[in-house]
Amino acid sequence: MQRLPVAKSRDNRHTNPHPGRYHTVVIGAGAGGLTVAVGLSNLGKRVALVERGAIGGDCTNVGCVPSKTLIHLVETQHQHGLSSAEILARVRAKRDHLRDEESEQVHGIDGVDVLRGTGRLLGANRVEVTLNGGGTQTLNTKNVVLAVGARPRCIDIPGLPDDRTLTNESLFEQAEAPQHLAIIGGGVMSAEMAVAFRKLGSRVSVVHRSERLLNGLEPPVSEVLAASFRAHNIAFYTSATAERYDPGTSTLYVQQRGEEKALHGVDRVLLAIGRVPNTERLGLEPLGIRTTPAGIPTDSAGRTNIRTIYAIGDANPSAHFTHAANAQGRRAVLKLAAPWLPLLGGVPDYPGAIFSDPEIASVGPPLSDLQRRYHPDLIRTLHVELSELDRGYTEGLEHGFVRLHVMRLTGRLLSATIVAPKASEMLPLLNFLVDKRMSLYRLYNVVFAYPTHSEAIKKATDQFVFTALPALPHELLTYLRYRWRRPPSRS
């Protein structure tokens, strides 16, 4: 999770004059829940923070922190001669240190009572906590924030024993790298962990149901990741499913387009096929709180259809990143502390970053979604390969690009995708433009340092300006013709 913001310590802690009564009860101490608890306590509100597991949630314990630590350490293993066992031990040690640090900080925040247990709604203003040590406690509150996170989605592969099945919750607990790791799924986790474990020394095979890897992003992204997998000698099978496993021979059998393939020597299978929000057993149905398989729908402030109950983070269909949970938590804090203040704007386009090799960063909808929102003739696509840059030339880059979708005539940036060695660090400028609905014209006079990968943004801006300005009459006519016309139906 993101490191905790500064909070008041308990050195001058005041006693709750009404035990069991709170301004807000937060269920879940992950990124979103901690943001709300710390934010409200800094504004003088009394908060109960309910958590049945480890403080920090998935990100600290089984997600961002251990995975990014692993990605960093495998890059330096050859310099220091570390074994896979030593690297994985260091990953756990670094993770545990941060978890202990966060837990100590949270338990020391003035105005926050930490209850270790499982929370369940008894009403719009009442929460029952089943304590880990036994017994229950009932809390009365003005508001409830559900920040309950999610768990790995699992499937049954006939013949696959439990002790050879991994999820993100068990992956980093391995004493050493598997000999042959099969990853089921071709999404974000697969993109990151396939390369990391290949560099750690494992043979890696990826099995993905869809026709292309990272199928939720732009097709050129999938092409670059496929090229990266080939360069790292990672086998991947698209339009494929894992059918069965033979534990005697350690063989995973895969169906790909009607043909059976045998992956031999697979000693571990990592399920990386998505997440399931932890919304069961919260007592939502008796209260009439609407739910979907993707989570609990809310307004832009995070409120459910019961206005005293909020849902943020993985429990909310619109947030599946740590930074998105943090952002939702910040918006919820403002509405909870000052409900009379209007929240400007709707739910933002949350940026995404994938720490593969190379990195992939994006903000805004992919082109296929934009074409359902706007007429295709209104959208200009600008694409610059990093190999066209002097920095790309000096580094010998073969793969990587900046790809922008903009509105014709106005140049408003609709979405952006970057594939580059440090794509996550290049995205914020474009994220700002998308969020503020700003035009590429605003970037024309911005000076980019030379030689950098960010010059690709300048080149894309030049592409737009030098084609749009000479054709302004045509651009204006096209804009007026299609701006308010419904896009054609897509089969």
Side-chain angles (χ1 to χ4, degrees), residues 151-157 160 164-171 181-186 189-190 207 242 252 268-275:
R151 63 187 181 277
R153 186 182 301 278
C154 294
I155 58 172
D156 177 57
I157 299 176
L160 180 64
R164 299 192 191 186
T165 305
L166 301 176
T167 68
N168 69 297
E169 294 179 348
S170 55
L171 177 64
L181 176 65
I183 304 178
I184 311 302
M189 187 179 181
S190 179
V207 179
L252 179 67
R268 293 293 184 274
V269 176
L270 172 62
L271 302 181
I273 53 176
R275 312 277 294 165

Side-chain angles (χ1 to χ4, degrees), residues 100-299:
D100 294 344
E101 180 184 80
E102 288 176 349
S103 183
E104 181 179 354
Q105 289 177 350
V106 171
H107 281 84
I109 298 174
D110 187 19
V112 176
D113 291 340
V114 180
L115 287 78
R116 306 311 297 267
T118 302
R120 182 174 70 91
L121 296 171
L122 296 180
N125 304 102
R126 295 178 69 217
V127 174
E128 180 185 73
V129 181
T130 302
L131 301 171
N132 288 349
T136 62
Q137 186 171 343
T138 300
L139 310 178
N140 297 299
T141 181
K142 291 182 179 180
N143 310 283
V144 179
V145 175
L146 304 175
V148 293
R151 63 187 181 277
R153 186 182 301 278
C154 294
I155 58 172
D156 177 57
I157 299 176
L160 180 64
D162 289 343
D163 62 357
R164 299 192 191 186
T165 305
L166 301 176
T167 68
N168 69 297
E169 294 179 348
S170 55
L171 177 64
F172 307 105
E173 305 306 319
Q174 302 301 296
E176 58 185 1
Q179 293 295 313
H180 185 177
L181 176 65
I183 304 178
I184 311 302
V188 174
M189 187 179 181
S190 179
E192 294 183 348
M193 292 298 98
V195 175
F197 273 86
R198 185 72 188 98
K199 291 180 178 179
L200 204 57
S202 298
R203 179 183 169 194
V204 178
S205 300
V206 174
V207 179
H208 188 39
R209 179 183 294 273
S210 297
E211 293 184 2
R212 58 185 180 89
L213 302 166
L214 292 174
N215 54 295
L217 297 177
E218 302 273 329
V221 173
S222 304
E223 296 169 8
V224 170
L225 184 61
S228 174
F229 277 7
R230 294 188 190 99
H232 287 97
N233 199 24
I234 296 170
F236 62 96
Y237 305 85
T238 55
S239 300
T241 56
E243 294 297 310
R244 56 191 174 91
Y245 181 82
D246 184 346
T249 61
S250 298
T251 302
L252 179 67
Y253 291 93
V254 173
Q255 281 285 340
Q256 185 183 42
R257 302 181 182 91
E259 179 182 351
E260 185 174 80
K261 299 180 182 295
L263 310 185
H264 299 289
V266 173
D267 52 339
R268 293 293 184 274
V269 176
L270 172 62
L271 302 181
I273 53 176
R275 312 277 294 165
V276 180
N278 294 320
T279 55
E280 308 93 342
R281 297 184 293 277
L282 285 174
L284 303 180
E285 286 189 10
L287 298 181
I289 298 176
R290 292 193 296 268
T291 62
T292 71
I296 306 170
T298 70
D299 64 12

Side-chain angles (χ1 to χ4, degrees), residues 386 388-392 394-395 397 426 447-459:
L386 295 190
E388 300 173 6
L389 308 175
D390 287 355
R391 180 65 181 270
T394 60
E395 294 183 348
L397 290 181
M426 294 171 60
V447 179
F448 292 82
Y450 172 89
T452 61
H453 299 139
S454 295
E455 280 196 297
I457 299 173
K458 182 183 74 172
K459 285 185 173 290

